[in-house]
Amino acid sequence: MSPLLRTALQVFLSLLFAPFAWGLIRFLKSQLSGRSGVSPFVSYAQIIAGFRKENLIPPMSSWAFTGTPYVVLAASVFLVFSLPLMTLGGWASPFSQFLVFIGVLALADTFRIFGAIDAGGVIGGMGASRQMVITALSLPTLVLIFSAYALKAGTTTIDGMLMSGLTPFGQPFLLLVVIAFILIALAENGRYPVDNPETSLELTMIGEALTFSYSGPYLAMLEYAAMIRLLVFMMLLANMIFPFGLLLPNGSFQSILVMILCTLLKISIAAGLTALLESTIAKMRFYRLQEYLASAFFIALAGLALVLVTEQIL
Amino acid sequence: MSLKNLLSHLPSVVVVEDRTDICSASVKREHFTGALDELVNCRTLAKTTTALYSLGLALSHLYVTDERKAHGVFVVHALLHDDTAASWLHLFTELPGDDPTYPSATLFIMNAQWFERYNADMFGVIPLDHPDLRRLAHHANMPFDVHPLRKDFLQGTELESEDIPYPVRQVTGEGVHEIGIGPVHHRVAESVHYRLSTTGERIMALEVKPFFKHKGVEKLVEGRKPIDALPFLERLGGDSAISHALAFSQAIESVEETVVSQRSRGIRSFLNECERVIMHVEDLSNIAGIGAGYNGMKRGFLLKERLMTAAEAFCGNRFLRGLIVPGGIARDVTDKEVEALRDVFVDVIDDMTTYAKRALHSDGLRDRLELCGVLKKDVAKVYGAVGLVARASGVDRDVRRDHPYAAYDRFEPRVITHVSGDAFARFKLRADELIDSRRLLIDLSAHLGGGEAKVPCHPALGLGVSAAESGRGEMLYAVHMKDGLLERVAIRGASFSNWPLLHELIPTSVLSDFPLCCRSLGLSVAGSDL
C-alpha cells in the first residue's frame, strides 16, 4: 500500500473515531457512577448540532477570536496527519519531528488563550491565565520525554521512535517516560486531576473557560479539535506501550482490518482507564498543580538521565 | 434567674407580659438600641447579674409590624434567645408613623445589619447611622419608596419598572479583576449575584446579593387563617417543608399555649429528623461532588431519590408537605407506616455513612476540604450563624436541645460540635449528625406515644414565637394574630442568617475553592428570599 493511502486512511479514521473516544469516556464514567449515561455516539450529534446553531461573536473581538477555531482545528488535524497513530512510515512521517509536535500543541494552546482573552469575558480571562500556567509547565516536560526517546532510538521523528520497536518492558527508561507522558497527557487534555471537563461551575473551569464565549459552529470546531487531540494522545500512548496493530508499509488489505480492530481496542482501554481514574480521584487544588507538573518533569528528567547513563556504559 | 429579673436591671425596659416561653418587654425608641446593646454585649449588666448571663443573649430576629391603623405607629420587634431557660425575649419599641426612625442597632450588634436593611426595604423604617443602608431585598427594577409590607400597600399593585443600579462595593488597583456571576446560573441553581474582586487566583472582596425572586409570601399570608396560610409557608424553601410547617404551627400553638398530644409530638420529631436526613444526604453529595467529582454526587443523589420516593409513599408527596398543621398532625399515621418509612431512612443512612467514610479517607477530597472556608467561632457568633455551620465552628447551640419542641424533650439529640470550622468540619459534622438521626429515628418510631392526632387550635389574639431545627439550621417564626387571622408572620429562614458569612469566608480564599465554600454552607435562596 502506498504511504499516501495509509496516511489518508489514518486521517479519515482518526477524524471518525475522535468523537467516539470522547463520548466513550463520558459513557463509562456515567456507568461507573451508577447512571445509564448517554450513548457514546451522542458526541457526533453534539458536533453536528453545533454547526447548525447560530454563531455569536462578541462585538469587541478581533481576528484572534474568529481565527482561533480554525487554527486550533487545523493544529489537531495536522497532528493526526503527521503522527504515527495507526500507521508507521506514512506519507507525512517526516513531519512527525517531536519538536514540531510540541510546537503545534503550543500553537493551539496559544491561540485558545488568545481567543479566550480577546472575547473580553471575565471567565475567559480567568481560564486563560490558568491555561498559561499549565501549558508553560507541561510542554517543557514533553521536550524531555521525547529527547530521552530520541536519544535511545537514534531519531528525532516520533515515527522513527515507534519504528525502533522499543517497549517499556524491555527498556526501563521508557517506563519513566511513559509515566511522565500520562501525567502530561491528562494535563494537556484538561482531564482529572488537573481539570474537570464536565464542570459547570464557572470558577473552577480551565478548558471550558477558554471556550466560554464561543457558540455554534466555532464552539463545535473547538470541541472537535479537543476530541481529536484527546485521540492523538490516547493513540500515541497506546503505541508507546504496545506498538502492535499498526499498519506497516508492507501491510496487506487484511492488516487494515486488524489495524481498525486494534485501534478500537486501544481506544476502549484508554477510555476505560481514564474513566476509572476520573471516577476515583478528586480534582486537585489549582495551587497544587505545580507540584503535579513538576513531578512529571522530574520523572521525565530521570528517564533522560537513565538513557544518558546507560548509553555511556554500553 | 428569669428574664424578668434580668430586665429589672434595665430601668428603661418595661415588662409587659411574662409567659413561660416568651417574655415581652417594651422600651422607648431612644433606649431601644441601648437596651439591645446591653442585653447582647453585656456592657454593665455583667457586673450586676449572675455569670449565667455574662455572655449575653443573642439577637435572633429583628422585624417590624405596621400598626398605624390601630395606634398610628410602626413597632420594631427584637427577638433574643435565652437558651438557659428555653425562652425568648421579645423586646419592642414603637415608632411614630410619620417618623419611623430609630438609632441603628447594627453599630453594636453585627448580625442586625441584614435585618435592618430588610426592614428599611419592606417598611421604610430607617435605622439612623446604619453603616450600609443600601437596598437589600429590592432589586434594580423596584422603584424607590415602595414598601410592600406596609399595610397600605395592596397585594397585587402594579409597579413601574425602574432601573436603579445596585451600588456594588468596588476594589480598584493594578491587577484587580472583577468577576460578576449570576443572577442567572446554569442548571437549576437559584438566583444569586456574586461580585468577586480578585488578584490572580486570590479573592480580595466579595459582594453577595441573593434577593432577586422575592415571592412576597409574608404579605400573601396576612389576613388569612393559619390553616390557609400553611400551604404557602410549606413551599417557601422547597426542601424544608417540615421545618417551616413545624415552626409555624408551633408558633400558632404558642399564642395561647395550646398543648398538643404526645403522639403528634412524636410524629413531628420523627418527620423533622427525616427532613434533616434528606438535607444532609443532599449536601454531603453536593460537597463530595464539587470537591471530588460527580461519581460520589450521583451515588448520593440516588440515595436521596430513595428517600423522596419513600416520602411520597408515606404522605403522597415527595417533600413531606401537608402533614403538620397547627394543633397536631393532619391525619394520624399508623405505626406500620412510620416503621416502613424508618426502614428506608435507616437503610439509606447506613449506605450514606459508608460513602461518607470512603470520602473522608480520600486524600484528594480531604486536601480540597481542609482549611477551605474557615469560619472561626467568634466570627460565627458575631454574624449570628445558625445550625450546622455554627456547630462546625464550635458554637454549641441546637434548637432541638436548647428550646426543646415536639418530642425532643423525651429524646434528646446529641449535639456534636467541631472546632476547625472549615469545609471539612462541615462535611464531617453532616456525616456525624446522620448517625445521630439514625438513632433518633429508631427511638422515636418505637415510642411515638399516644393521644389524638389533632387538638383544636384557633388562637384569636397575641404573639407566638417558635423555632425548629432544619438541616440548615434554625427556622424562626414570629406570628402576630388578630381576630383569629394572621396579622403578620415574620419569618427568619436559617439561610438568612448564614448568607452574610460568605463575606467573611470568601475574601482571602482562592477562586476555585469558592463553589466548595458556598456548598459547604448549604445555603438556600428560596428559604431566605421570602
Side-chain angles (χ1 to χ4, degrees):
Chain A
M1 276 174 82
S2 77
L4 187 61
L5 199 65
R6 283 184 288 123
T7 299
L9 191 66
Q10 166 176 312
V11 172
F12 173 71
L13 287 178
S14 301
L15 296 184
L16 187 69
F17 288 160
F20 170 73
W22 181 276
L24 191 62
I25 296 181
R26 191 169 54 186
F27 173 73
L28 292 174
K29 264 176 89 174
S30 317
Q31 289 280 324
L32 281 170
S33 65
R35 290 174 287 156
S36 49
V38 293
S39 146
F41 299 102
V42 166
S43 33
Y44 291 98
Q46 191 183 328
I47 301 285
I48 294 166
F51 279 104
R52 287 192 190 143
K53 283 183 186 162
E54 191 188 357
N55 196 358
L56 291 170
I57 295 167
M60 307 288 276
S61 62
S62 69
W63 60 269
F65 184 84
T66 44
T68 293
Y70 297 99
V71 174
V72 175
L73 187 60
S76 283
V77 173
F78 175 79
L79 293 182
V80 296
F81 175 69
S82 63
L83 293 174
L85 304 181
M86 297 167 197
T87 176
L88 284 178
W91 184 74
S93 59
F95 291 112
S96 68
Q97 295 281 347
F98 75 84
L99 283 175
V100 173
F101 167 56
I102 296 165
V104 169
L105 285 180
L107 180 75
D109 277 350
T110 309
F111 265 86
R112 282 165 73 213
I113 291 165
F114 280 170
I117 297 175
D118 193 48
V122 173
I123 309 292
M126 195 181 63
S129 102
R130 290 175 178 169
Q131 185 64 47
M132 274 189 263
V133 173
I134 295 174
T135 305
L137 290 176
S138 64
L139 292 186
T141 310
L142 274 184
V143 175
L144 278 189
I145 290 169
F146 286 106
S147 301
Y149 219 143
L151 261 176
K152 194 77 185 176
T155 166
T156 52
T157 61
I158 298 177
D159 191 67
M161 293 173 196
L162 291 184
M163 204 96 90
S164 67
L166 298 170
T167 63
F169 310 106
Q171 300 285 340
F173 88 92
L174 201 50
L175 204 62
L176 291 170
V177 162
V178 164
I179 291 171
F181 193 61
I182 292 174
L183 297 178
I184 295 301
L186 291 172
E188 272 295 303
N189 286 291
R191 315 298 308 194
Y192 272 61
V194 176
D195 187 12
N196 179 359
E198 285 164 29
T199 186
S200 50
L201 298 165
E202 297 94 333
L203 293 179
T204 60
M205 288 175 175
I206 303 176
E208 291 284 296
L210 293 176
T211 59
F212 208 76
S213 303
Y214 285 95
S215 56
Y218 281 174
L219 181 63
M221 283 165 81
L222 287 170
E223 282 180 343
Y224 192 34
M227 291 171 185
I228 297 170
R229 183 194 268 223
L230 180 70
L231 183 88
V232 166
F233 273 89
M234 277 178 163
M235 293 305 295
L236 264 188
L237 198 57
N239 291 344
M240 276 163 91
I241 303 172
F242 304 107
F244 64 80
L246 291 160
L247 204 55
L248 294 168
N250 56 358
S252 61
F253 277 97
Q254 271 174 343
S255 58
I256 294 180
L257 211 64
V258 174
M259 180 269 281
I260 293 176
L261 284 176
C262 283
T263 301
L264 286 174
L265 186 71
K266 285 170 185 173
I267 290 175
S268 310
I269 293 174
L273 290 176
T274 314
L276 191 65
L277 181 81
E278 298 201 343
S279 307
T280 44
I281 57 170
K283 206 185 103 176
M284 226 173 245
R285 269 185 179 168
F286 186 73
Y287 277 161
R288 290 200 56 192
L289 286 185
Q290 301 94 311
E291 294 170 28
Y292 171 89
L293 292 165
S295 358
F297 182 84
F298 282 105
I299 293 170
L301 193 64
L304 183 62
L306 204 59
V307 173
L308 289 171
V309 168
T310 47
E311 289 286 298
Q312 287 292 316
I313 292 168
L314 298 173
Chain B
M1 186 164 118
S2 73
L3 284 171
K4 201 173 175 180
N5 286 338
L6 178 74
L7 292 175
S8 65
H9 293 280
L10 295 170
S12 58
V13 178
V14 183
V15 175
V16 181
E17 193 187 8
D18 189 18
R19 303 193 330 229
T20 49
D21 57 341
I22 310 166
C23 175
S24 280
S26 130
V27 63
K28 287 233 163 58
R29 83 164 150 171
E30 54 269 30
H31 299 302
F32 180 65
T33 304
L36 272 182
D37 180 28
E38 196 59 73
L39 288 163
V40 173
N41 298 324
C42 281
R43 290 188 197 282
T44 55
L45 270 182
K47 298 187 190 82
T48 52
T49 58
T50 55
L52 219 48
Y53 283 103
S54 60
L55 291 172
L57 304 172
L59 182 70
S60 280
H61 202 353
L62 191 68
Y63 64 96
V64 175
T65 52
D66 179 2
E67 291 171 21
R68 283 178 300 168
K69 218 174 196 174
H71 308 106
V73 291
F74 285 104
V75 186
V76 181
H77 308 258
L79 281 178
L80 299 103
H81 61 75
D82 174 16
D83 289 344
T84 50
S87 61
W88 299 94
L89 171 58
H90 167 228
L91 193 69
F92 64 93
T93 186
E94 295 180 347
L95 316 178
D98 49 0
D99 174 30
T101 56
Y102 68 99
S104 167
T106 304
L107 297 172
F108 311 101
I109 304 161
M110 173 114 175
N111 69 334
Q113 75 133 327
W114 269 30
F115 293 125
E116 291 193 327
R117 284 172 72 184
Y118 186 82
N119 293 339
D121 282 358
M122 291 297 160
F123 289 93
V125 168
I126 305 299
L128 300 172
D129 300 324
H130 188 289
D132 172 22
L133 207 55
R134 290 173 297 167
R135 306 203 297 176
L136 179 75
H138 290 345
H139 51 68
N141 293 351
M142 193 82 172
F144 274 125
D145 287 326
V146 174
H147 305 296
L149 277 179
R150 286 188 175 186
K151 291 284 178 194
D152 51 10
F153 181 90
L154 295 177
Q155 177 74 41
T157 308
E158 291 263 333
L159 291 172
E160 298 281 311
S161 180
E162 292 279 344
D163 189 12
I164 304 163
Y166 179 73
V168 180
R169 226 178 279 116
Q170 285 190 316
V171 180
T172 50
E174 192 175 335
V176 178
H177 191 59
E178 200 174 65
I179 303 177
I181 304 171
V184 181
H185 295 267
H186 57 90
R187 295 191 183 173
V188 289
E190 294 180 283
S191 307
V192 193
H193 180 70
Y194 303 100
R195 190 73 66 94
L196 298 150
S197 301
T198 66
T199 47
E201 289 288 317
R202 201 155 288 281
I203 302 172
M204 298 180 73
L206 164 80
E207 178 102 35
V208 50
K209 190 164 165 40
F211 301 93
F212 282 94
K213 291 185 178 167
H214 195 85
K215 304 181 281 288
V217 173
E218 282 175 303
K219 186 85 182 174
L220 264 175
V221 297
E222 278 177 13
R224 287 178 198 267
K225 280 194 221 149
I227 192 76
D228 298 334
L230 199 58
F232 293 99
L233 300 171
E234 280 189 325
R235 280 155 182 78
L236 257 180
D239 57 355
S240 42
I242 289 290
S243 36
H244 276 290
L246 192 52
F248 174 68
S249 300
Q250 286 174 165
I252 296 290
E253 285 150 16
S254 96
V255 174
E256 286 185 354
E257 300 187 59
T258 313
V259 179
V260 300
S261 73
Q262 194 80 277
R263 182 169 183 80
S264 59
R265 291 169 63 137
I267 289 169
R268 281 174 171 193
S269 269
F270 182 81
L271 292 172
N272 195 1
E273 285 308 312
C274 287
E275 189 189 82
R276 287 167 48 79
V277 170
I278 297 179
M279 278 193 199
H280 281 356
V281 168
E282 159 139 31
D283 283 341
L284 283 170
S285 322
N286 268 326
I287 298 172
I290 289 169
Y294 292 107
N295 191 13
M297 183 157 146
K298 298 293 175 209
R299 295 243 175 235
F301 283 174
L302 213 59
L303 290 180
K304 189 195 164 199
E305 183 54 37
R306 273 177 68 193
L307 297 179
M308 295 185 81
T309 315
E312 191 174 16
F314 180 74
C315 67
N317 64 67
R318 294 158 57 82
F319 304 95
L320 294 166
R321 288 175 186 145
L323 284 167
I324 294 174
V325 292
I329 45 172
R331 66 177 177 95
D332 198 2
V333 285
T334 62
D335 286 0
K336 222 171 178 178
E337 286 174 288
V338 171
E339 275 159 22
L341 191 62
R342 179 203 65 195
D343 289 342
V344 177
F345 272 73
V346 166
D347 212 30
V348 166
I349 291 172
D350 289 342
D351 282 357
M352 197 66 213
T353 308
T354 319
Y355 289 153
K357 254 192 203 135
R358 211 181 292 162
L360 288 171
H361 285 137
S362 142
D363 292 342
L365 185 63
R366 280 191 79 134
D367 184 51
R368 290 296 307 275
L369 292 177
E370 277 177 14
L371 298 177
C372 165
V374 178
L375 177 69
K376 296 217 170 69
K377 184 178 176 179
D378 47 350
V379 178
K381 277 195 164 164
V382 163
Y383 272 84
V386 297
L388 184 135
V389 174
R391 288 197 288 282
S393 298
V395 179
D396 187 17
R397 183 154 194 281
D398 189 323
V399 200
R400 292 176 300 164
R401 179 199 61 194
D402 300 330
H403 295 253
Y405 57 89
Y408 288 117
D409 49 351
R410 288 192 291 147
F411 300 95
E412 195 172 301
R414 193 163 74 91
V415 180
I416 309 158
T417 55
H418 287 317
V419 279
S420 57
D422 52 5
F424 179 74
R426 294 190 278 275
F427 185 84
K428 191 165 185 313
L429 186 57
R430 284 188 172 94
D432 292 346
E433 290 202 351
L434 273 185
I435 296 170
D436 191 49
S437 288
R438 183 185 189 277
R439 176 186 66 86
L440 282 169
L441 283 174
I442 292 173
D443 286 357
L444 281 161
S445 62
H447 311 284
L448 280 177
E452 52 196 322
K454 201 174 153 189
V455 294
C457 174
H458 305 288
L461 183 75
L463 164 72
V465 176
S466 178
E469 184 83 17
S470 74
R472 299 208 170 82
E474 161 197 329
M475 296 282 178
L476 180 64
Y477 270 70
V479 176
H480 289 260
M481 300 285 297
K482 199 175 170 188
D483 309 326
L485 300 175
L486 295 168
E487 173 73 5
R488 166 107 167 91
V489 182
I491 307 159
R492 202 229 50 214
S495 297
F496 190 89
S497 295
N498 286 349
W499 268 111
L501 293 174
L502 279 181
H503 293 138
E504 186 66 29
L505 292 192
I506 299 301
T508 73
S509 79
V510 293
L511 266 178
S512 44
D513 280 349
F514 177 73
L516 208 50
C517 282
C518 288
R519 273 297 177 202
S520 70
L521 293 182
L523 299 165
S524 149
V525 176
S528 44
D529 194 6
L530 304 171

